[in-house]
Amino acid sequence: MIITSYILMIIGAIFLALGGFGVFRMPDVYNRIQAGTKATTLGAFALILGVGFAEPSWFLKIALIIVFIAITNPVGSSTLARAAYKSGVSATLLQKQKEGEDK
Amino acid sequence: MKKTISTFLVLLAIWVLLTGFNWMEVVLGAAVSLVLAIIISRFVNYSFGFGIILGLIKFIVIYIPVFIFKLVLANIDIAYRVLSPKLPINPGIVKVPTKLKSDFGKFVLANSITLTPGTLSLDVEDDEVIVHWVNVKGKTSGEHQSRISKTFEKLLGGIVK
């Protein structure tokens, strides 16, 4: 049981680190939001589930926290991306600029 | 009245999940939830009947496993893209038509699109979801739909309207 929780926590930490790395590496705002959202959602799920396996009496609270993360995390990132879309950030513009600079 | 009862049940469920099942806590939670539900029920715009139980069971049994599987796939996909030195992306914005009518259905669909491989929903306009896609494949909106949201549409169509 405790081994499962450690494995889940390590997986969560790895995905959270990958999320941060993705935000650093991706070229434009949408791709950064993508890398951030997905990795942090699964990372937080795994981390919190790991805590739940370590302390089984907290499991209902953990379930509630997971439900709230699943609802709010994508909505937050969609809102950020929507603001960028409404203010006219093109998805391919920055990518093309970068290719132009490379040549 | 229906709205008040729905709000009351949601608040009480959250309270019980947070505190654990204990008669004293449930009675206190019910009292506070009742007062709160009477006050805030005029501001909420949802209500449900007995059909919600069947819907909830269907949602948990059919939808959640597919969703978790897709979420893991999405993370492996994004990890591959982030870690590979060439950064293999071909981003673009596409519009995906949807048949779902209710606000809740569109909300769940948009959230699912955000958490599946390579796609991020930007906005919902009437019957279209605007989607940013890391690696655009295909040209027509039908093709886009079959690659992005067909699985979820099919599953959700049987559960919410």
Side-chain angles (χ1 to χ4, degrees), chain B residues 33-112:
Chain B
S33 304
L34 190 63
V35 175
L36 272 178
I38 289 168
I39 296 169
I40 66 174
S41 61
R42 74 187 74 165
F43 303 114
V44 300
N45 60 351
Y46 66 89
S47 63
F48 46 76
F50 288 107
I52 188 89
I53 300 169
L54 194 64
L56 207 63
I57 292 170
K58 268 188 189 169
F59 190 78
I60 290 169
V61 173
I62 301 171
Y63 184 73
I64 300 286
V66 179
F67 177 74
I68 299 281
F69 176 67
K70 287 267 186 180
L71 181 59
V72 173
L73 275 189
N75 274 276
I76 292 167
D77 177 74
I78 213 83
Y80 160 70
R81 283 183 205 287
V82 167
L83 291 177
S84 70
K86 275 187 177 172
L87 215 63
I89 54 175
N90 172 29
I93 291 176
V94 297
K95 287 185 179 176
V96 180
T98 171
K99 289 196 192 77
L100 299 172
K101 289 279 176 281
S102 70
D103 282 352
F104 182 73
K106 282 178 192 166
F107 162 69
V108 177
L109 182 69
N111 266 12
S112 311

Side-chain angles (χ1 to χ4, degrees), chain A residues 15 18 21-22 25 27 30-31 33-34 38-39 41-42 45 60-61 64 70-71 74-75 78 81-82 85-86 91-92, chain B residues 17-18 71 74-75 79 82-85 87 89 91 93 107 111 114-116 118-123 130 132 134:
Chain A
F15 275 118
L18 277 175
F21 194 55
R25 274 210 75 192
Y30 299 116
N31 288 311
I33 292 172
Q34 288 234 21
K38 295 189 218 314
T41 310
L42 190 68
F45 279 7
L60 286 177
K61 285 174 212 174
L64 192 65
I71 293 173
V75 170
S78 282
R82 182 169 182 269
Y85 179 67
K86 290 273 174 189
T92 51
Chain B
L17 281 177
L18 274 176
L71 181 59
N75 274 276
V82 167
L83 291 177
S84 70
L87 215 63
I89 54 175
I93 291 176
F107 162 69
N111 266 12
T114 299
L115 291 175
T116 47
T119 50
L120 169 73
S121 52
L122 302 180
D123 201 356
I130 301 172
H132 173 263
V134 163

Side-chain angles (χ1 to χ4, degrees), chain A residues 83-103:
Chain A
Y85 179 67
K86 290 273 174 189
S87 55
V89 179
S90 156
T92 51
L93 184 69
L94 297 170
Q95 179 73 5
K96 277 179 184 154
Q97 275 177 351
K98 193 166 170 271
E99 279 168 11
E101 279 170 15
D102 287 343
K103 281 168 196 166

Side-chain angles (χ1 to χ4, degrees), chain B residues 22-37:
Chain B
N22 177 336
W23 277 114
M24 299 289 284
E25 300 276 13
V26 173
V27 170
L28 179 68
V32 177
S33 304
L34 190 63
V35 175
L36 272 178

